Amino acid sequence: MRKKSFNTVLFSLAAIVLATFPASVLGATYLYPWDTGSSVSIVDADPPGSPTNTGNDITKAWYAYGTEGSTGYHYFRMDLSGVPTSANAWNMYGMYIDSKPGGATSADIHIPFADGVIPPAAGIDMIIFSFIRGGAASGMALQWDEGLVAWKLVNFQYSPDANLLAQNSMNGGKTLEWRFLDYPSSDWRYINTPFSFWGGIMLAPGIAPVKTTYDVTGQVVTPIPNAAWLMGAGIIALVGLKRRKPRQ
C-alpha cells in the first residue's frame, strides 16, 4: 500500500511539473543517423484491429550506441503508424530496459503487459519515456532501486540531466527519439550492456486508477556497444604484443 501510494504521488507530481513546461518542438534532424549508423530494431506486427488508434500503434522500435566527441550515448527510437493527438492525452510512450538483476515485473503499475510479451520474470530496471499530452512530448526516465523497491526519477528538463538526456520528435510527430548518457558504472543511472528492451505504450499510472496497455513490441537484445568492442580489441592486442615481446 505504501509503495502504491508513493508511485501515485510520484506520477501526480510529474504531471503537475510537466504541465508547467512549454510544448516541445519537432527536431530538424534525428538525434542519431539511423540510415547510415549501426543499429538493432524490431518490427511490431500487431494482430488485425489492435490497437485501434494509430497514435497508439508502434510499428518499429530501434536502438543504437554512438559517441559525440568522447562521450558515449544510448539512442532509442519509436516509430508510430499515426501522430499522437489530444485523444491520446497523458499516454506513456517508452522503452522498458532489462539490464541488471532484479527490477520491477509486469505486475508493477509502470510496466505494460500484453499477451505475455513482457513476462513477469523479466525485471525492468530502467524506463526511458515521454508523456504525450495533445501531441506535446515531455521526456523523463525512471531507474529502479532494488534496495528501496521503488523508482527513482530522472527528469530530462532539469540540470544537470538536461545536458545529458534528450528527446526528439521527427517524421511529422510519428517518430520519437531518446538519447541517454552512457553513465559510468558507479552512477545509479548506469545501463549495463548488453541488455534487452521492449517498446511500449500505456496509460500513465497516477492519472488513471488502473493501467491500460495499448501496445508492446517483442524483445530486442542489444549488442555490446562499439566502444566496448574497441576497448576489448585494444586490450587483446596489447596482451598479444606483450606475449610476443622477445626476452632481453
Side-chain angles (χ1 to χ4, degrees), residues 58-81:
I58 304 171
T59 58
K60 198 171 185 179
W62 309 62
Y63 168 79
Y65 186 89
T67 57
E68 297 183 18
S70 60
T71 305
Y73 289 99
H74 301 282
Y75 295 88
F76 295 90
R77 169 178 167 178
M78 178 185 291
D79 293 339
L80 306 168
S81 61

Side-chain angles (χ1 to χ4, degrees), residues 146-181:
E146 193 69 18
L148 295 176
V149 194
W151 296 99
K152 288 184 177 180
L153 180 66
V154 185
N155 200 317
F156 282 54
Q157 308 284 1
Y158 292 126
S159 177
D161 296 314
N163 296 322
L164 306 178
L165 310 171
Q167 65 164 0
N168 193 29
S169 181
M170 293 289 292
N171 194 22
K174 292 194 293 184
T175 293
L176 300 175
E177 278 186 297
W178 299 271
R179 184 190 70 190
F180 194 83
L181 179 73

Side-chain angles (χ1 to χ4, degrees), residues 14-201:
I16 295 172
V17 170
L18 295 177
T20 64
F21 286 95
S24 59
V25 297
L26 296 180
T29 59
Y30 286 97
L31 295 175
Y32 181 82
W34 300 100
D35 292 336
T36 58
S38 177
S39 64
V40 294
S41 61
I42 185 170
V43 174
D44 187 41
D46 295 311
S50 176
T52 58
N53 192 320
T54 58
N56 281 335
D57 181 24
I58 304 171
T59 58
K60 198 171 185 179
W62 309 62
Y63 168 79
Y65 186 89
T67 57
E68 297 183 18
S70 60
T71 305
Y73 289 99
H74 301 282
Y75 295 88
F76 295 90
R77 169 178 167 178
M78 178 185 291
D79 293 339
L80 306 168
S81 61
V83 179
T85 66
S86 57
N88 305 323
W90 291 116
N91 281 347
M92 187 173 171
Y93 293 66
M95 300 297 179
Y96 298 82
I97 300 166
D98 178 14
S99 75
K100 302 172 185 176
T105 69
S106 58
D108 187 273
I109 62 173
H110 308 86
I111 310 299
F113 182 80
D115 300 325
V117 176
I118 298 183
I124 302 301
D125 50 79
M126 173 72 79
I127 308 173
I128 299 175
F129 65 99
S130 293
F131 276 124
I132 306 295
R133 187 186 185 193
S138 299
M140 307 177 78
L142 292 174
Q143 176 77 59
W144 180 257
D145 189 308
E146 193 69 18
L148 295 176
V149 194
W151 296 99
K152 288 184 177 180
L153 180 66
V154 185
N155 200 317
F156 282 54
Q157 308 284 1
Y158 292 126
S159 177
D161 296 314
N163 296 322
L164 306 178
L165 310 171
Q167 65 164 0
N168 193 29
S169 181
M170 293 289 292
N171 194 22
K174 292 194 293 184
T175 293
L176 300 175
E177 278 186 297
W178 299 271
R179 184 190 70 190
F180 194 83
L181 179 73
D182 186 9
Y183 288 92
S185 57
S186 58
D187 194 288
W188 63 273
R189 291 159 292 197
Y190 177 66
I191 298 176
N192 193 30
T193 55
F195 60 88
S196 298
F197 76 93
W198 295 257
I201 302 174

Side-chain angles (χ1 to χ4, degrees), residues 2-27:
R2 182 180 178 184
K3 177 183 173 184
K4 184 176 180 181
S5 299
F6 172 81
N7 288 328
T8 301
V9 170
L10 173 66
F11 272 86
S12 297
L13 289 174
I16 295 172
V17 170
L18 295 177
T20 64
F21 286 95
S24 59
V25 297
L26 296 180

